[in-house]
Amino acid sequence: MRRKIKGKKIFAKVLKELARGEEYPKKKWGKDVEVIYGAIPGISSKHWIGMVIHLKMRTITLFHCGLPTEDKNIDIPQVEELAVLIPALMLEAVGEEINIKDLVPFKVEKAEGIPKTNFGFNCGLFVVKMLECHSLKIEDMSKINDDNARALRRSLSCQIFSQFVDENFKK
């Protein structure tokens, strides 16, 4: 039988400070921040996986646009580990002791009706655009497709350039 180890800490100080809202952007998880958007590289599939982490609903929704012949469940164990670590981080951030066996993991679900690609090199682009659409509450993602990928890539490149690079050229 595992016992709770008093005072056991598993997260770096900066992560706890981030969750408490003490680090940039100075927003407390679960209070000021309800949704976290992110992407992780799929270890097994070698494709990007977009994630919408809803802190209050305790869900992680996956946006995986992998190739049609690929098993979309291949990277689920990797995400299930994250589904346990997030609530653990939130508890530790407020000073609670952590007993991993007692933690209730976030529910992992797959987004439905999302665009798929036939080309592995479009995966990252698709994930970025799907997460952008989700954050803006745009449900119709039909324009995210292999036929429009070049235009989407060009548009995203211009946005990145004008937001980050162009400022440096003016100096």
Side-chain angles (χ1 to χ4, degrees):
M1 181 175 145
R2 286 189 154 180
R3 291 190 339 240
K4 198 182 306 183
I5 300 171
K6 213 163 186 48
K8 183 176 181 180
K9 306 294 181 205
I10 59 174
F11 295 100
K13 181 181 173 190
V14 70
L15 290 175
K16 293 182 280 190
E17 290 170 346
L18 176 67
R20 285 192 299 260
E22 297 169 2
E23 290 290 327
Y24 179 82
K26 304 282 186 190
K27 306 284 184 189
K28 185 175 180 179
W29 288 17
K31 180 181 176 199
D32 305 313
V33 176
E34 291 184 19
V35 179
I36 298 172
Y37 291 91
I40 59 170
I43 292 173
S44 300
S45 68
K46 308 227 183 320
H47 287 285
W48 286 98
I49 303 168
M51 295 185 303
V52 177
I53 303 167
H54 201 291
L55 299 172
K56 288 192 177 184
M57 292 174 42
R58 300 180 61 82
T59 60
I60 300 174
T61 305
L62 304 180
F63 288 77
H64 195 301
C65 62
L67 302 173
T69 58
E70 195 172 68
D71 179 7
K72 307 298 182 296
N73 295 319
I74 198 165
D75 291 307
I76 296 295
Q78 172 185 349
V79 177
E80 286 174 340
E81 290 176 12
L82 187 61
V84 173
L85 289 173
I86 293 169
L89 173 59
M90 293 176 72
L91 282 174
E92 191 172 311
V94 295
E96 296 287 327
E97 292 181 15
I98 297 173
N99 183 350
I100 295 291
K101 287 189 157 224
D102 294 336
L103 282 176
V104 177
F106 279 31
K107 180 182 174 193
V108 177
E109 53 193 31
K110 297 178 202 167
E112 298 293 325
I114 60 173
K116 303 295 179 203
T117 181
N118 290 313
F119 307 106
F121 54 81
N122 282 337
C123 186
L125 174 67
F126 276 37
V127 165
V128 167
K129 297 309 282 183
M130 287 188 292
L131 293 178
E132 179 182 34
C133 286
H134 187 277
S135 72
L136 296 171
K137 300 189 180 0
I138 298 171
E139 292 182 18
D140 180 13
M141 297 184 198
S142 62
K143 290 184 180 173
I144 303 171
N145 59 56
D146 288 327
D147 293 335
N148 290 339
R150 181 176 284 189
L152 291 171
R153 191 172 276 108
R154 188 178 308 122
S155 172
L156 186 58
S157 297
C158 290
Q159 287 174 353
I160 292 169
F161 182 83
S162 66
Q163 188 171 1
F164 299 106
V165 180
D166 196 30
E167 287 295 316
N168 293 327
F169 283 137
K170 292 177 183 174
K171 294 179 182 177

